[in-house]
Amino acid sequence: MSALRPLIRRSALSCLLALTALVVAAPANAAPLFGFNDMLPSWGQIDPAANVAMAKNAGATTSLITVNWREAEPAPGVLRLSNYDAAYNASIAKGIKPVFGILFSPAWTWSSACTGDCRLPPAPEHYGDWRAFVTTLVKRYPLLAGIQVWNEPNFASFWQRGIDPERYTALVKEAYKAVKAVKPSMPVIAGALTNYAGEDRSNYMPQTEFLKRMYAAGLKGNADAISIHPYPDDIDPWQFYKALSEIRDVRDAAGAGSTKLWVTEVGVSSKDPTNRSYVFNENDQAVTNGRLVQKLKAMPDVAAAIVHTLVPTDVNAREEGFGVVNKLPGLAPKPAFCELARINATAYKCPAGVSKTLTTDPVQAKRWQAQDLLQAAADAARTYRAQRGSYAGLTSAGLRALSPQISATPAAVDVMPGASAKPERIAVFVWGAGAEQNLLLCNTSTADRSYCIWSVYNRFWTYGKAESAITVAADGILTGRTAWW
């Protein structure tokens, strides 16, 4: 028997119930900051003024500049900040307020010796030196848009000798004290969490587990924002949406729902190797980066959308492909740069020879329409749960009351994908209780697929699809036969 049929009966009954949903007007959201994860100016590899001028042409109002503490203070009190001075001064002169992301402690703060490219936190007995360095930066660069603590501490590449959310949270707390003692209005941004989903748990901790442990260690009240890196890694945005949904769930469960999200890295590479789920070209990069930025700008709880990256590094082909201009010495804009400038309504004129007319597969556009509508339903369902404490009683009409783009009419589970499908119609199934309460949302595209999103409250979000009716997509996602769009 189909795993979905008992749920269909429940849904049919629930649709007979009247639901009056209170629509709460959301406060006006200030336009999110936009910019690039910008590494080369602080590395001294590009003229900061030229770099900032390019970023401004694309509409940048901020940038994320990495501050490598081990190089900036190689010995106690010995400061080497000239590259950061140049990057900061050039940015401020163009009306761009950068975020400084501080990471990697110097050798004199380590608890034991290390050789090679050591990316270690300071030993607890050197937290005073950490505070002193943060204090120096805040005093020296008072117009920063914020201080981000570290980068991707849930990934072993950036936090060596054992991923440790509690120790990371201690660093955040110390940075918060230092910043607020000098400039209380300057945001302290914690997290910088990657949504990387590798199988080797010795090298990676899921962002949800890491953030839960941060809150358990006292994060609430010691940071102004949570930063995340919701890379899609696919032409379909399920990983992007999943990362945001999961972080919001953890944040809200911790009673910190008003905490803003800073997306301090996002984007796709135009040079992904062929063994990845989708191989992007320059046209795809432009279309996808543009969609991601537009989606983020429309999210009321997102305070910054920072694209990785403006000028590419030479780390490897994939990293080079993330750049929206070509690498040194040419720095010619790619279509992604021109698309971002267009979205941000700048006066920049894309040069001849760079494609300004982007192409999208019509079938993929129809898939995106259904995916976006289904995610809008998931976001509305999260709001419903926040208002009522559970998903109980949720129907398509309830989703409609919170998100006008959703139809009050539920989707029929046996409609096949195609021109007659109505993706704004969402099938809603709720079962279970408490921490094991389940929510399943499904719709059907006008292209070739049906989509589902399944959530077990406080545990995970799963995204599934089928080239058939909702019944098949739901069976697949509930039985683990598919888990991606």
Side-chain angles (χ1 to χ4, degrees):
M1 177 181 287
S2 165
L4 185 62
R5 285 174 186 163
L7 308 183
I8 295 173
R9 289 195 292 271
R10 289 192 186 95
S11 181
L13 290 173
S14 66
C15 286
L16 297 175
L17 301 176
L19 175 68
T20 302
L22 177 63
V23 180
V24 180
N29 187 43
L33 297 171
F34 166 78
F36 298 96
N37 178 31
D38 214 359
M39 296 167 284
L40 299 193
S42 62
W43 292 354
Q45 295 183 351
I46 186 173
D47 177 70
N51 183 83
V52 167
M54 281 192 297
K56 190 70 175 180
N57 281 338
T61 55
T62 191
S63 61
L64 176 61
I65 296 176
T66 297
V67 177
N68 189 332
W69 183 20
R70 64 186 176 184
E71 295 176 358
E73 193 178 8
V78 177
L79 296 175
R80 296 177 178 172
L81 300 175
S82 58
N83 285 345
Y84 306 113
D85 290 343
Y88 173 85
N89 291 333
S91 298
I92 297 301
K94 283 287 187 179
I96 295 174
K97 290 188 173 183
V99 176
F100 275 8
I102 313 170
L103 73 169
F104 305 158
S105 63
W108 54 270
T109 69
W110 300 340
S111 56
S112 60
C114 176
T115 58
D117 183 14
C118 299
R119 300 176 174 188
L120 302 173
E125 57 266 28
H126 285 281
Y127 284 172
D129 298 303
W130 164 253
R131 288 195 308 272
F133 183 68
V134 173
T135 298
T136 295
L137 296 183
V138 177
K139 288 181 176 179
R140 192 178 182 109
Y141 309 111
L143 298 180
L144 290 174
I147 292 287
Q148 177 176 280
V149 180
W150 223 260
N151 177 68
E152 299 185 351
N154 62 323
F155 197 27
S157 293
F158 292 98
W159 189 280
Q160 294 173 347
R161 294 183 178 166
I163 298 168
D164 191 337
E166 290 75 24
R167 190 169 174 186
Y168 171 73
T169 305
L171 277 191
V172 174
K173 291 178 178 180
E174 297 297 333
Y176 189 83
K177 292 176 192 174
V179 172
K180 299 307 178 181
V182 177
K183 191 164 186 180
S185 63
M186 185 177 290
V188 175
I189 306 157
L193 299 172
T194 175
N195 65 329
Y196 169 77
E199 296 297 326
D200 186 357
R201 288 293 303 275
S202 66
N203 290 318
Y204 163 77
M205 182 180 290
Q207 58 173 8
T208 48
E209 179 181 343
F210 197 95
L211 186 58
K212 285 178 184 178
R213 287 174 60 176
M214 284 174 66
Y215 277 116
L219 177 67
K220 185 179 178 182
N222 288 289
D224 300 297
I226 299 298
S227 58
I228 59 172
H229 300 166
Y231 284 101
D233 268 358
D234 198 346
I235 196 68
D236 293 325
W238 68 273
Q239 294 177 85
F240 170 77
Y241 283 143
K242 176 182 173 70
L244 288 161
S245 294
E246 290 181 342
I247 289 293
R248 286 172 172 138
D249 272 359
V250 176
R251 176 198 64 185
D252 296 354
S258 62
T259 302
K260 290 288 188 179
L261 302 181
W262 288 53
V263 174
T264 53
E265 286 186 33
V266 75
V268 296
S269 171
S270 63
K271 295 185 177 182
D272 268 2
T274 55
N275 64 344
R276 300 188 70 81
S277 57
Y278 185 87
V279 181
F280 291 83
N281 56 33
E282 290 192 359
N283 175 86
D284 297 338
Q285 181 194 33
V287 171
T288 302
N289 280 8
R291 291 189 81 249
L292 295 174
V293 169
Q294 288 176 311
K295 296 296 178 189
L296 291 170
K297 282 188 167 189
M299 296 176 182
D301 63 346
V302 171
I306 298 177
V307 170
H308 180 75
T309 179
L310 179 59
V311 181
T313 68
D314 289 326
V315 174
N316 53 46
R318 183 170 186 255
E319 277 299 314
E320 180 186 320
F322 276 105
V324 298
V325 302
N326 288 296
K327 66 180 181 179
L328 291 164
L331 300 179
K334 292 163 65 175
F337 183 92
C338 299
E339 177 66 0
L340 292 170
R342 184 194 68 79
I343 288 169
N344 290 316
T346 75
Y348 178 76
K349 302 298 182 185
C350 198
V354 179
S355 176
K356 297 175 283 296
T357 303
L358 303 178
T359 60
T360 301
D361 179 350
V363 173
Q364 184 60 42
K366 292 175 181 178
R367 292 172 180 163
W368 282 335
Q369 178 197 30
Q371 293 164 1
D372 291 346
L373 286 165
L374 191 58
Q375 183 62 38
D379 292 338
R382 290 188 63 262
T383 300
Y384 179 96
R385 186 187 67 208
Q387 292 175 352
R388 294 164 175 78
S390 77
Y391 296 121
L394 179 62
T395 65
S396 297
L399 295 176
R400 165 75 177 184
L402 294 164
S403 182
Q405 59 190 310
I406 303 302
S407 172
T409 303
V413 297
D414 55 353
V415 172
M416 292 294 291
S420 62
K422 298 184 182 300
E424 70 276 12
R425 294 184 176 180
I426 310 296
V428 181
F429 309 99
V430 177
W431 70 102
E436 297 300 314
Q437 188 179 42
N438 287 258
L439 169 71
L440 180 67
L441 304 171
C442 301
N443 71 350
T444 301
S445 74
T446 57
D448 57 350
R449 295 174 182 170
S450 293
Y451 298 95
C452 292
I453 301 177
W454 176 31
S455 172
V456 179
Y457 178 55
N458 206 28
R459 281 175 55 195
F460 58 78
W461 290 77
T462 306
Y463 289 67
K465 69 177 186 294
E467 294 180 351
S468 185
I470 284 173
T471 307
V472 178
D475 265 349
I477 199 171
L478 293 174
T479 57
R481 291 195 301 272
T482 180
W484 58 88
W485 282 352

